[in-house]
Amino acid sequence: MMSALRRRPVAAGAVLAVAVLGLPGSAAAQSASAPGSAPDATPSADSGSPGKGSGKSPGKKPGAKAAPGKIISSKPSSFQYTPGVPTPTKAWKITYRSTSADGRANAVSGTVIVPDDGRTTPRPLITYAVGTVGLGDKCAPSAGFPGGTTAEAPLVNAALVRGYAVAVTDYEGLGTPGDHTYMVAKAQGSAVLDAARAAQRHPEAAKYGVSAGAPVGIMGYSQGGGASAKAAEMAATYAPELKVKGTASGGVPADLAKVADSLEGGDSAGYLLMSAVGQNAANPALALNKYLNKEGRKLAEVVRNECVGTVLEAGRGKTIEDVTTSNPLDRPEWQRAIAKQLIGTKRPSAPTFLYHGDADETIPYAVGQKLRADWCAKGTAVEWKTFPGQSHVGTAIQGNGPALEWLGRRFAGESTPGNCGT
């Protein structure tokens, strides 16, 4: 559930990129060039620091207080959308407070990026959720931005050249201690919303027009589509102070059970074990390891430590039966955990733009259609756009421009009825 992009210059109003999904070593450049990705600052007193693979997230000690979005650490960074090409931007790698799926305070890393264009008045902020990069800390977006190796950097750049500020979360456990809670909806949605809060509290970003009074857009594709869509459902109750004007989500894996059915045994089967590791990270009582056979345990270590290209190659063609002694998805506790990740059960408080390719080989087109129907039935103003004949990655590229244009109209105060009736 990702797009691995080969980068070339991106002009305002267009995304000029070529994408490859699931090629062997598609994250090799990122893996080879990414700097070390330990948190920048010693965790504050209310954080634990379990190691990668522990199945635990940094936790909140009894009596400790941590405001979601509070900046724990910040240091200057840089943003390149292709290797060796600096951009006229300012960037900071941050660690900030967020909330895990079970409600505990945690620490999440991310990046705040602003155009260095002389503007000091309030500008729109997009909190951007990337698609799958992998579970290894070296794969985090913040690790790749300085060298231009983060796959979706061209898509982020398309927002920057429009004059928007962008906050990009690394998600829980990706660049911080513990396993990444991959495809755990609440943890991902919280990380996305708290990245926006952290950006608005950043004193250096404030000098470039990042303001709590400015409009906020939520955006993401694939894993990021799920994270942004869940953030849209959570925004009114979890982060009501954010002035969210709209959410643009593409290729949304809204129903993990249906996505799993389509992926098993195929070229992208590695996503299944990634999702299982993510669910186990959020809920160690699921005891994933007891279901894995020798091959499954070996593959799980690859999943926990490597980037998505390596994982997809290692998991290519695998079935659940190949890597388990018994299928955890047959167990009621696993079924309940997967059911909790369903998106479409709550009404977003702001309009949404949903887009999907009808030839998507990774996230079934019907899954996107069902999310549209669910949100429309709840009275959401949904604008739905199909990309005929487009694959998962092709839609990520072709949909980015229309998604940004749609958000731009929301930032400008234009209303939208959506197209639920068509």
Side-chain angles (χ1 to χ4, degrees):
M1 283 168 270
M2 51 76 74
S3 57
L5 308 176
R6 293 201 302 269
R7 292 152 293 277
R8 55 191 176 117
V10 180
V15 177
L16 304 177
V18 179
V20 180
L21 174 65
L23 288 180
S26 62
Q30 187 178 56
S31 300
S33 62
S37 54
D40 297 323
T42 302
S44 60
D46 59 345
S47 273
S49 53
K52 187 67 71 175
S54 67
K56 297 180 181 179
S57 301
K60 184 177 177 182
K61 291 184 178 180
K65 293 182 180 180
K70 177 183 177 182
I71 297 174
I72 301 168
S73 67
S74 175
K75 71 175 184 179
S77 185
S78 60
F79 173 80
Q80 295 185 14
Y81 66 83
T82 193
V85 181
T87 59
T89 59
K90 296 290 185 181
W92 301 269
K93 181 177 178 180
I94 61 171
T95 307
Y96 61 93
R97 282 279 164 246
S98 191
T99 309
S100 62
D102 62 2
R104 291 178 298 131
N106 61 9
V108 176
S109 57
T111 308
V112 178
I113 315 162
V114 294
D116 189 6
D117 55 7
R119 179 173 175 175
T120 59
T121 55
R123 68 173 82 226
L125 169 69
I126 290 178
T127 182
Y128 187 96
V130 300
T132 306
V133 293
L135 274 65
D137 286 342
K138 62 188 175 184
C139 317
S142 64
F145 283 148
T149 57
T150 295
E152 288 182 58
L155 308 185
V156 172
N157 192 60
L160 294 166
V161 298
R162 285 170 165 81
Y164 305 148
V166 182
V168 185
T169 183
D170 288 338
Y171 302 120
E172 180 181 28
L174 185 56
T176 49
D179 283 341
H180 170 30
T181 48
Y182 178 72
M183 299 311 302
V184 176
K186 285 185 69 175
Q188 293 182 165
S190 297
V192 169
L193 293 168
D194 289 328
R197 285 168 152 165
Q200 292 181 344
R201 297 173 184 178
H202 198 284
E204 292 300 311
K207 299 175 183 178
Y208 297 85
V210 181
S211 163
V216 173
I218 306 171
M219 185 174 181
Y221 188 84
S222 196
Q223 178 190 5
S228 58
K230 185 62 178 179
E233 292 186 342
M234 295 172 62
T237 54
Y238 182 78
E241 80 282 8
L242 293 178
K243 300 183 184 305
V244 175
K245 300 301 182 182
T247 299
S249 302
V252 180
D255 187 330
L256 294 190
K258 287 186 170 56
V259 174
D261 288 343
S262 74
L263 292 177
E264 186 180 7
D267 287 347
S268 299
Y271 289 132
L272 294 181
L273 192 52
M274 292 175 70
S275 296
V277 170
Q279 297 303 321
N280 192 77
N283 182 7
L286 292 172
L288 173 64
N289 199 56
K290 78 177 184 181
Y291 297 97
L292 299 177
N293 59 24
K294 183 177 179 180
E295 184 176 1
R297 290 192 295 272
K298 182 179 178 180
L299 184 55
E301 284 307 300
V302 175
V303 166
R304 288 186 171 101
N305 294 291
E306 298 300 331
C307 298
V308 64
T310 301
V311 172
L312 289 179
E313 181 61 20
R316 193 179 303 278
K318 301 291 186 186
T319 64
I320 294 175
E321 185 178 36
D322 291 334
V323 298
T324 63
T325 55
S326 63
N327 188 347
L329 296 183
D330 291 337
R331 300 291 303 171
E333 63 269 26
W334 274 88
Q335 292 168 2
R336 288 192 295 269
I338 298 301
K340 286 181 180 179
Q341 315 316 321
L342 188 66
I343 301 171
T345 62
K346 296 181 180 179
R347 180 180 182 271
S349 54
T352 62
F353 177 75
L354 290 176
Y355 56 107
H356 214 114
D358 65 7
D360 193 321
E361 74 289 2
T362 304
I363 311 297
Y365 182 64
V367 170
Q369 289 179 306
K370 180 63 163 56
L371 176 59
R372 177 203 187 188
D374 288 343
W375 276 353
C376 284
K378 291 174 173 56
T380 306
V382 180
E383 184 166 333
W384 167 262
K385 185 172 178 61
T386 297
F387 285 85
Q390 282 300 319
S391 67
H392 189 64
V393 169
T395 304
I397 296 169
Q398 292 201 7
N400 196 64
L404 285 168
E405 291 165 7
W406 183 89
L407 283 172
R409 292 192 290 272
R410 307 292 79 74
F411 293 152
E414 295 182 23
S415 62
T416 174
N419 57 6
C420 284
T422 62

